[in-house]
């Protein structure tokens, strides 16, 4: 409790508070615009982030994460095009409500449900994360190696039909992390005697390339097709108490499901929203109204996708394994700032941890206020044409990559990874495992080396410890299950 | 679409095997310590993984036979537009140190906004100039990141 109070004192400092508000506002706008995602928003803010203290930058990123998750519902309800995949289920009832002239009501319920889901997930984050970190303190080198393999395998196995493609992307990420002077003996590795490559690939240009530039390149392919914009006016945003009372069960169910889905690495809001929608529909009294404009059909997915935020932060903060794509980008941001996520974070950077906890609570209230007050102006956000926005984002990507070392070499690296990311996207190879490979590669190598040093090159050390054995078995199970599901679907 | 990708997957598999062999050969001369893994052993483990994945990709692509070549060429126009943007961006980055951010960026923006299909020239130029100015001032003054101002002028 004392730590939480300390966290609040940090978060309420004017500078931190202002940046947190900025993060939420930018997140809502980015989330609302189809084609832009919270991960892209975080990447665009990275140049600013790594010049700030870790606790300040992280609460800003959390604000953007939560804001982005909520913002996706705005275009889902108003345009029938979810701003982010996490808002896909919201459109099922949100858009019919809009067609009935109740866009304001749908947006109001979405805001309240997002707030409810966010609060549930923040409470779980505060309760579960320190306990999990305490358990993780007993991890040894072999366990960390197995954990990084588990992180990669779970991200690859969540690549839908493309499990092998996810694994290929992860392997390429691991290979990219090998380039440069190795940390064990200090010799050049895979550098072709190029002095730039000797430093390896910095994470920021890779992130910018794979997640942001590739998206701009993807958008330019089809941008000649105009987005149809016929948006109804938004009015009566505040729902009545009776309406709010009616959706409370949906918010609770969505919230709890969202947290648990968020905790499972490699899942995320898109899965949570549909799961919550289906469960709530099954038990709803007005289940025949679902799909035609049921308020619970908006509340359940919105609560669930926002609840994944806190859930996804749990494995990222405690174990250094991201829960979804956005947290993998956040993990990259943490590494850039110089904060290594994992159980030691809870000992060495307590200020960072508790400012995130306190910040997450404040962010939910900010989102509620921001959502309810700004909903009527949201159609204006959606009128910003992609054709003007994407080129500006391209310039921001160039500037962002340049900021790291004031070097145009980093910008070239970002562009090269952007082209790679573009083709990966086009050929259905997921980008997240590649980035995760770059992040987790050094962790895997360092801990494998340490484990073998201690055990005198006895590789069975990886299977003798129960924790490492469990993670390695879980990796096999996750990939096996994913392959089995693909086969089942094909049959 | 999925069928069309089979041919791509086949070539990705071939490329992956070639890459894994190259990595194996390039790491052959790296020192091997008595204990622990040396600098070459870890990339070699990855190269074995890549070889296996490449073989799986080739095998699964060949099962059921390759699809007929796609006669619809619209995808080439799409890829061409994306590659054009990538090339313009690479040229822009190369010229940045010579011409500088404030002078070069408006032209770059005007060009790529047009490439994105925006047709109103006046708005295009206005957004390009204002966008450049805002980004330049924001980074140079607020974030203290000094963007290249060029050597020509």
């Amino acid at each position: 409790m004392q730590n939480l109070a300390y966290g609040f004192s940090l978060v309420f400092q004017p500078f931190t508070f202002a940046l947190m508000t900025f993060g939420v506002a930018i997140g809502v706008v980015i989330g609302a615009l189809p084609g832009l995602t919270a991960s892209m928003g975080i990447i665009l803010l990275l140049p600013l982030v790594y010049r700030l203290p870790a606790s300040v930058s992280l609460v800003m990123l959390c604000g953007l994460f939560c804001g982005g998750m909520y913002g996706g519902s705005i275009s889902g309800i108003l345009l029938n095009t979810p701003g982010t995949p996490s808002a896909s289920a919201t459109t099922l009832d949100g858009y019919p409500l809009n067609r009935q002239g109740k866009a304001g009501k749908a947006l109001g319920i979405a805001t309240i449900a997002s707030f409810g889901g966010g609060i549930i997930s923040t409470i779980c984050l505060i309760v579960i994360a320190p306990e999990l970190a305490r358990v993780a303190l007993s991890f040894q080198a072999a366990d960390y190696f197995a954990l990084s393999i588990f992180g990669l395998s779970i991200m690859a196995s969540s690549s839908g039909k493309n499990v092998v493609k996810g694994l290929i992307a992860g392997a390429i990420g691991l290979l990219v992390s090998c380039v440069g002077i190795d940390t064990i003996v200090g010799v050049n590795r895979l550098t072709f005697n190029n002095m730039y490559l000797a430093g390896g690939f910095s994470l920021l240009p890779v992130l910018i390339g794979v997640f942001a530039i590739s998206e701009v390149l993807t958008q330019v392919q089809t941008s000649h097709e105009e987005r149809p914009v016929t948006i109804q006016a938004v009015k009566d945003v505040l729902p009545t108490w009776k309406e709010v009372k009616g959706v409370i069960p949906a918010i609770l169910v969505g919230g709890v499901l969202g947290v648990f889905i968020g905790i499972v690495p490699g899942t995320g809001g898109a899965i949570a929203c549909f799961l919550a929608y289906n469960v709530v529909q099954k038990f709803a009294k007005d289940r025949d109204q679902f799909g035609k404009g049921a308020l619970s059909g908006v509340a359940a997915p919105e609560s669930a996708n926002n609840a994944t935020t806190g859930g996804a932060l749990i494995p990222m903060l405690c174990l250094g394994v991201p829960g979804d794509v956005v947290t993998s980008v956040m993990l990259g941001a943490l590494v850039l700032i110089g904060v290594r996520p994992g159980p030691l974070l809870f000992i060495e950077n307590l200020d960072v941890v508790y400012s995130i906890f306190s910040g997450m609570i404040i962010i939910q209230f900010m989102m509620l206020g921001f959502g309810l007050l700004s909903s009527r102006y949201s159609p204006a956000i959606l009128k910003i044409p992609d054709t003007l926005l994407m080129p500006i984002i391209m310039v921001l990507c160039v500037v962002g990559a340049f900021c790291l070392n004031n070097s145009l070499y980093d910008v070239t690296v970002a562009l090269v990874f952007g082209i790679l990311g573009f083709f990966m996207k086009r050929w259905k190879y997921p980008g997240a495992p590649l980035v995760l490979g770059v992040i987790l590669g050094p962790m895997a190598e360092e801990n494998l080396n340490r484990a073998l040093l201690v055990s005198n090159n006895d590789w069975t050390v990886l299977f003798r410890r129960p924790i490492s054995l469990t993670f390695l078995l879980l990796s096999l199970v996750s990939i096996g299950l994913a392959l089995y599901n693909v086969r089942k679907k094909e049959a | 679409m999925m069928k069309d990708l089979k041919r791509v997957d086949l070539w990705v598999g071939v490329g992956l095997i070639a890459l894994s062999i190259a990595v194996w050969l390039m790491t052959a001369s790296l020192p091997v310590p008595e204990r622990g893994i040396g600098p070459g052993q870890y990339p070699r483990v990855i190269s074995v993984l890549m070889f296996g994945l490449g073989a799986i990709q080739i095998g699964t692509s060949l099962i059921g036979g390759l699809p007929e070549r796609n006669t619809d060429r619209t995808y080439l126009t799409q890829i061409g537009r994306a590659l054009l943007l990538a090339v313009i961006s690479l040229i822009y980055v190369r010229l940045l140190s010579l011409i500088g951010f404030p002078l070069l960026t408006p032209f770059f923006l005007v060009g790529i906004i047009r490439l994105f299909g925006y047709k109103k020239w006046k708005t295009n130029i206005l957004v390009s100039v204002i966008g450049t100015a805002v980004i330049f001032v924001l980074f140079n003054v607020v974030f203290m990141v000094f963007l290249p101002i060029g050597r020509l002028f």
Side-chain angles (χ1 to χ4, degrees):
Chain A
M1 218 48 198
Q2 237 175 359
N3 287 330
L4 209 56
Y6 174 60
F8 276 114
S9 72
L10 290 174
V11 169
F12 276 115
Q13 282 176 10
F15 184 58
T16 314
F17 193 80
L19 282 178
M20 197 164 62
T21 316
F22 174 71
V24 174
I26 289 285
V28 173
V29 172
I30 283 177
L33 290 166
L36 300 189
T37 55
S39 47
M40 191 194 256
I42 290 174
I43 288 165
L44 294 177
L45 282 188
L46 283 182
L48 168 64
V49 158
Y50 76 95
R51 278 157 202 277
L52 297 169
S55 55
V56 179
S57 50
L58 277 170
V59 288
M60 182 174 74
L61 295 185
C62 286
L64 200 150
F65 185 17
C66 297
M69 203 56 99
Y70 156 70
S73 67
I74 296 174
S75 51
I77 290 166
L78 297 179
L79 291 177
N80 201 21
T81 309
T84 57
S86 305
S88 309
T90 312
T91 57
L92 297 177
D93 281 278
Y95 190 64
L97 279 166
N98 175 25
R99 299 290 298 267
Q100 294 162 23
K102 296 175 185 167
K105 199 127 286 185
L107 283 172
I109 287 291
T111 310
I112 291 168
S114 297
F115 167 76
I119 287 288
I120 292 170
S121 81
T122 306
I123 292 169
C124 292
L125 173 70
I126 294 169
V127 173
I128 298 172
E131 296 307 317
L132 186 59
R134 206 162 294 149
V135 174
L137 273 174
S138 61
F139 283 19
Q140 291 181 5
D143 305 330
Y144 275 113
F145 170 74
L147 178 64
S148 47
I149 298 297
F150 172 64
L152 266 176
S153 66
I154 205 97
M155 193 61 99
S157 60
S158 65
S159 313
K161 284 182 183 174
N162 311 313
V163 185
V164 176
K165 291 185 176 186
L167 288 171
I168 289 173
I172 289 175
L174 289 175
L175 188 68
V176 167
S177 76
C178 289
V179 176
I181 295 174
D182 103 291
T183 50
I184 299 165
V185 185
V187 295
N188 272 323
R189 192 165 63 176
L190 308 173
T191 61
F192 304 98
N193 289 329
N194 181 309
M195 70 163 189
Y196 286 116
L197 288 179
F201 291 108
S202 303
L203 185 60
L204 182 64
V206 175
L207 279 173
I208 289 176
V210 173
F211 286 123
I213 294 180
S214 68
E215 185 57 42
V216 178
L217 294 178
T218 304
Q219 296 279 337
V220 80
Q221 297 181 105
T222 51
S223 61
H224 286 62
E225 296 153 18
E226 291 284 321
R227 188 199 298 159
V229 182
T230 40
I231 306 169
Q232 308 248 3
V234 175
K235 48 191 177 188
D236 302 327
V237 177
L238 271 181
T240 62
W241 171 240
K242 196 181 162 196
E243 285 165 338
V244 174
K245 225 166 74 173
V247 298
I248 285 175
I251 293 175
L252 290 174
V253 171
V256 173
L257 283 173
V259 172
F260 284 102
I261 296 285
I263 291 174
V264 179
T267 50
I271 297 170
C273 67
F274 279 107
L275 186 67
Y277 184 87
N278 287 337
V279 170
V280 169
Q281 183 186 22
K282 202 166 271 181
F283 295 103
K285 283 179 194 159
D286 58 341
R287 71 180 71 107
D288 52 322
Q289 281 303 305
F290 274 65
K292 295 175 192 160
L295 288 177
S296 294
V298 173
E302 270 312 296
S303 168
N305 67 30
N306 264 73
T308 57
T309 55
L313 284 174
I314 294 173
M316 190 200 82
L317 290 175
C318 303
L319 306 172
V321 175
D324 60 6
V325 175
V326 188
T327 43
S328 71
V329 176
M330 277 178 87
L331 185 69
L334 275 169
V335 175
L336 272 176
I337 297 164
V339 176
R340 179 51 83 176
L344 287 178
L345 186 73
F346 286 72
I347 296 169
E348 291 167 357
N349 300 86
L350 212 61
D351 57 330
V352 173
V353 173
Y354 279 91
S355 53
I356 292 177
F357 289 174
S358 321
M360 283 291 283
I361 297 173
I362 307 299
I363 284 164
Q364 309 310 326
F365 284 95
M366 267 182 187
M367 212 170 58
L368 180 70
F370 194 85
L372 291 177
L373 292 174
S374 66
S375 285
R376 64 178 64 243
Y377 306 108
S378 48
I381 300 172
L382 301 176
K383 284 180 183 162
I384 303 171
D386 286 352
T387 43
L388 290 179
L389 200 64
M390 285 295 162
I392 297 280
I393 287 174
M394 189 66 167
V395 173
L396 285 174
C397 289
V398 168
V399 173
F402 178 80
C403 282
L404 182 65
N405 296 314
N406 281 16
S407 150
L408 289 172
Y409 166 73
D410 285 331
V411 185
T412 311
V413 169
L415 282 172
V416 169
F417 273 94
I419 296 168
L420 176 69
F422 163 74
F423 280 109
M424 285 176 69
K425 199 173 274 192
R426 198 171 164 93
W427 296 334
K428 312 277 180 214
Y429 286 78
L434 186 145
V435 170
L436 206 60
V438 177
I439 296 171
L440 294 180
M443 173 177 157
E445 182 177 13
E446 198 184 307
N447 286 294
L448 178 63
N449 184 50
R450 205 174 292 161
L452 291 176
L453 273 176
V454 173
S455 66
N456 245 336
N457 276 16
D458 178 9
W459 284 77
T460 60
V461 69
L462 301 175
F463 312 103
R464 274 189 275 121
R465 283 189 53 79
I467 299 172
S468 63
L469 182 65
T470 309
F471 279 128
L472 289 174
L473 285 176
L474 282 174
S475 310
L476 282 177
V477 169
S478 69
I479 290 171
L481 264 180
L483 287 171
Y484 172 75
N485 283 337
V486 171
R487 290 217 149 197
K488 211 168 124 186
K489 269 182 198 164
E490 280 173 358
Chain B
M1 184 67 182
M2 290 308 283
K3 273 198 168 177
D4 294 344
L5 288 178
K6 274 183 122 183
R7 203 175 287 274
V8 172
D9 290 342
L10 174 71
W11 285 110
V12 168
V14 172
L16 215 58
I17 287 179
L19 183 64
S20 67
I21 293 170
V23 170
W24 184 271
L25 293 175
M26 277 159 65
T27 50
S29 55
L30 293 174
V32 182
E34 278 183 24
R35 283 199 308 160
I37 49 165
Q41 220 165 342
Y42 182 69
R44 284 185 153 206
V45 172
I46 298 167
S47 75
V48 170
L49 176 70
M50 282 173 24
F51 190 95
L53 289 168
I56 292 173
Q57 202 66 331
I58 291 173
T60 49
S61 307
L62 291 176
I63 290 171
L66 287 173
E68 299 239 332
R69 277 188 187 278
N70 192 353
T71 48
D72 180 14
R73 288 283 177 256
T74 47
Y75 75 95
L76 282 179
T77 318
Q78 292 177 347
I79 293 178
R81 204 181 289 151
L83 286 182
L84 181 61
L85 175 58
V87 169
I88 292 172
S89 305
L90 280 168
I91 294 169
Y92 164 70
V93 172
R94 289 278 133 206
L95 290 177
L96 263 180
S97 57
L98 190 71
I99 300 174
F101 183 87
L103 265 182
L104 188 60
T105 306
F107 292 101
F108 173 66
L109 272 175
V110 167
I112 62 171
I113 287 174
R114 191 68 192 89
L115 185 65
F116 265 89
Y118 193 79
K119 293 192 177 76
K120 296 172 190 163
W121 280 105
K122 270 187 189 169
T123 319
N124 182 344
I125 293 167
L126 205 67
V127 169
S128 302
V129 172
I130 293 173
T132 305
V134 169
I135 294 171
F136 188 72
V137 170
L138 194 72
F139 278 85
N140 272 45
V141 178
V142 183
F143 302 157
M144 303 297 273
V145 174
F146 300 108
L147 299 170
I149 49 167
R151 297 191 303 260
L152 267 188
F153 306 101

